[in-house]
Amino acid sequence: MHDKTLAQQAALLASGELKSRELVDHYLQRIERLNPALNAYLQVDAEGAREQAAKADDILQQGKGGPLTGIPIAHKDIFCTQGIKTTCGSRMLENFIAPYNATVVDKLNAAGVVTLGKANMDEFAMGSSNENSYFGAVANPWQHDRVPGGSSGGSAAVVAAQLASAATGTDTGGSIRQPAAFCGVTGIKPTYGRVSRYGMVAFASSLDQGGPMARTAEDCALLLQGMAGHDVRDATSSDVAVPNFSSQLNKDIKGLRIGVPEEYFAQGLDSAVADSVTEALAELERMGAILKTVSLPNQGLCVPAYYIIAPAEASSNLSRFDGVRFGHRCENPQDLEDLYKRSRGEGFGPEVKRRILIGAYTLSAGYYDAYYRKAQQVRQLVSNDFTAAFEEVDVIAGPTTPTTAFVRGEKTDDPIAMYLNDLFTVSANLSGLPGLSAPCGFVDGLPVGLQLVAPANEESLLLNVAHRYQSSTDWHLQSPATID
Ligand code: GLN
């Protein structure tokens, strides 16, 4: 039953052929067997999951369930969950139990999902390989010596290894799409503000956005429906009406104008990845879409601008972890300054410290104009590039990542090489646009991701295009040999 998609499981639950309790027990057994080698789950809440499943089965029996009732998922460990730990992959929050649920968690609970546990992640969502987790790296289910991507690497591995029907993730610079690409699953970063950030541990607040990761676009539509919507507790939450995503999945893509940015196929892109993506574009063309070359002239400035803005916001957001109010506190502090220094020194890992230092530097009085303000100006240019491109095309398509999953340890000593993983993903965050990654091939047994970006609030369009593509290809249905 684990090899069924969320939508297929939902149909079986609705008809009574499958009980949520059975499905949950089945996943719990798989987790016990497969998770030790993967390290995708940081925490499993077997008791809580069985309770939620029993309730879901009652609701289903009464015929009152929705499409998510009784569906077992994993939450990225960045979402606050009342009663069970929320570590954010950090020693700083090793024993933190949030006093409330994130809005995403509350909404999905209300929709009837079952939470199996919390998924591993890069510390404070900073990273592209999940190697920055205080709780250890995650193995890519396709090849265990490879990284699953990051920062939602645990969520992607959970979905790829079929250890839950789907998972939540967050994406500040690519952290849903890049691990989705590396693990051969589908993931969508919605428009900024579409999903509430309340109770989602903050990394870079103007870029952070939660979203679903699942086997198919159809499953992502179902999960996103449960996550999206205006929230009075998040001041940046969007009050644009949320459409019914699932009902828009079968639109013909004949005549759809797909923009292919010339800058995406330039230096830095692995040639075999380029071939897979080109073939995916040809398939979309055969389905009736019209391909058009477009230009995003400031593409080359995205990574530098992102790595100024994200650390600047992170240095400010992470100042709350002071040993007083949240998280780790050092032993026997001598005075207040010693308390701050040692609590933060011990609680944060090296990448988080690097980001705090960069952020504090670029925000400091002497450098603010040269770095932070400049980066904000570049951000506007990046956004303008998309606005201009969307005058000519309906969606933009290209590779999600420059390469397939790399070997663990390969880039840990080279932060710049690590940051270049985000080459094609950060632009959607800088401009607040929705972006999706869907499996579109394999290179040497490792999955390749096709990225689609749309204008604001057009998640339905992305899900529709991906669903149509998945109706005529089967890349998304392949599963790793290591998981049976
Ligand atoms: N890899 C990027 C970073 O390290 C993106 C992370 C994210 O989207 N959370 O900042």
Side-chain angles (χ1 to χ4, degrees):
M1 48 186 118
H2 56 272
D3 54 350
K4 301 228 168 349
T5 67
L6 187 162
Q8 290 167 338
Q9 291 172 344
L12 293 174
L13 288 168
S15 69
E17 279 164 82
L18 178 65
K19 293 280 173 219
S20 178
R21 257 310 285 266
E22 286 173 63
L23 192 54
V24 164
D25 283 334
H26 179 72
Y27 279 127
L28 289 172
Q29 280 169 17
R30 284 181 65 76
I31 294 168
E32 208 170 288
R33 184 159 60 83
L34 297 168
N35 194 55
L38 293 171
N39 198 26
Y41 275 97
L42 289 177
Q43 199 185 168
V44 177
D45 180 19
E47 202 185 319
R50 290 197 177 105
E51 263 170 44
Q52 281 185 309
K55 273 192 208 142
D57 282 332
D58 282 346
I59 295 171
L60 287 160
Q61 183 113 39
Q62 295 162 30
K64 290 187 191 150
L68 294 176
T69 310
I71 293 291
I73 66 158
H75 280 297
K76 183 175 183 179
D77 207 16
I78 197 169
F79 288 102
C80 287
T81 42
Q82 200 172 13
I84 61 168
K85 283 193 278 187
T86 299
T87 68
C88 219
S90 182
R91 183 182 180 201
M92 184 57 92
L93 293 175
E94 190 173 7
N95 297 307
F96 176 65
I97 298 188
Y100 60 87
N101 280 332
T103 295
V104 161
V105 173
D106 268 344
K107 282 178 85 83
L108 288 174
N109 283 347
V113 304
V114 173
T115 303
L116 286 171
K118 306 293 288 288
N120 204 343
M121 55 180 284
D122 281 303
E123 183 175 11
F124 286 103
M126 298 172 190
S128 306
S129 66
N130 221 112
E131 292 166 291
N132 296 336
S133 169
Y134 174 66
F135 305 100
V138 173
N140 187 316
W142 291 92
Q143 284 176 29
H144 282 188
D145 63 338
R146 304 265 162 174
V147 304
S151 65
S152 313
S155 300
V158 161
V159 176
Q162 296 164 16
L163 301 181
S165 309
T168 56
T170 64
D171 190 312
T172 302
S175 282
I176 287 177
R177 292 160 287 157
Q178 186 256 16
F182 277 14
C183 289
V185 307
T186 309
I188 178 168
K189 177 200 93 73
T191 309
Y192 181 76
R194 184 63 105 180
V195 168
S196 169
R197 291 184 295 108
Y198 183 76
M200 201 175 96
V201 179
F203 164 12
S205 308
S206 77
L207 303 160
D208 296 343
Q209 185 56 203
M213 305 177 77
R215 308 257 316 278
T216 67
E218 185 184 23
D219 291 357
C220 283
L222 291 169
L223 198 59
L224 182 58
Q225 201 75 49
M227 299 171 77
H230 182 245
D231 181 7
V232 287
R233 290 179 294 187
D234 170 1
T236 59
S237 156
S238 157
D239 55 9
V240 172
V242 179
N244 183 324
F245 299 114
S246 302
S247 73
Q248 321 234 351
L249 291 180
N250 278 310
K251 290 194 185 148
D252 201 335
I253 62 164
K254 205 153 180 238
L256 182 87
R257 298 165 305 166
I258 299 181
V260 184
E262 53 191 0
E263 293 82 3
Y264 285 10
F265 290 85
Q267 210 188 358
L269 178 63
D270 177 88
S271 66
V273 169
D275 290 345
S276 289
V277 173
T278 303
E279 174 47 34
L281 295 172
E283 177 62 25
L284 290 166
E285 197 174 26
R286 285 192 287 275
M287 294 167 68
I290 300 160
L291 301 184
K292 227 177 144 177
T293 303
V294 292
S295 176
L296 300 172
N298 294 291
Q299 161 62 20
L301 299 176
C302 291
V303 168
Y306 171 85
Y307 278 96
I308 300 287
I309 293 168
E313 294 187 21
S315 77
S316 166
N317 271 325
L318 270 57
S319 65
R320 76 192 65 186
F321 301 104
D322 54 7
V324 179
R325 292 169 299 171
F326 294 97
H328 179 76
R329 177 179 296 177
C330 67
E331 300 279 341
N332 305 318
Q334 302 305 304
D335 54 29
L336 189 60
E337 189 156 330
D338 184 44
L339 169 76
Y340 290 156
K341 277 190 184 159
R342 281 202 290 127
S343 299
R344 287 167 70 81
E346 293 164 6
F348 291 136
E351 182 61 25
V352 174
K353 287 179 183 160
R354 179 183 291 126
R355 304 280 178 116
I356 292 173
L357 287 173
I358 296 172
Y361 178 82
T362 59
L363 287 175
S364 60
Y367 297 104
Y368 185 94
D369 285 332
Y371 295 107
Y372 186 71
R373 190 187 304 280
K374 207 31 123 198
Q376 291 290 20
Q377 288 165 342
V378 170
R379 183 175 190 171
Q380 187 60 52
L381 293 177
V382 170
S383 194
N384 294 349
D385 283 356
F386 277 112
T387 308
F390 285 129
E391 305 246 305
E392 291 174 51
V393 295
D394 304 303
V395 278
I396 284 173
T400 307
T401 56
T403 65
T404 53
F406 47 91
V407 174
R408 206 178 310 157
E410 194 180 309
K411 300 188 191 215
T412 32
D413 295 330
D414 186 352
I416 305 284
M418 192 68 96
Y419 297 169
L420 283 172
N421 268 283
D422 308 328
L423 195 58
F424 305 125
T425 48
V426 290
S427 54
N429 303 79
L430 289 170
S431 44
L433 302 176
L436 176 148
S437 179
C440 74
F442 289 88
V443 173
D444 298 332
L446 292 165
V448 179
L450 168 73
Q451 179 177 236
L452 302 168
V453 178
N457 302 311
E458 296 286 353
E459 292 86 359
S460 293
L461 178 59
L462 294 181
L463 292 163
N464 177 222
V465 177
H467 179 66
R468 300 300 304 168
Y469 177 72
Q470 292 182 337
S471 308
S472 73
T473 57
D474 66 358
W475 305 115
H476 60 293
L477 296 177
Q478 315 286 325
S479 48
T482 61
I483 65 159
D484 287 323

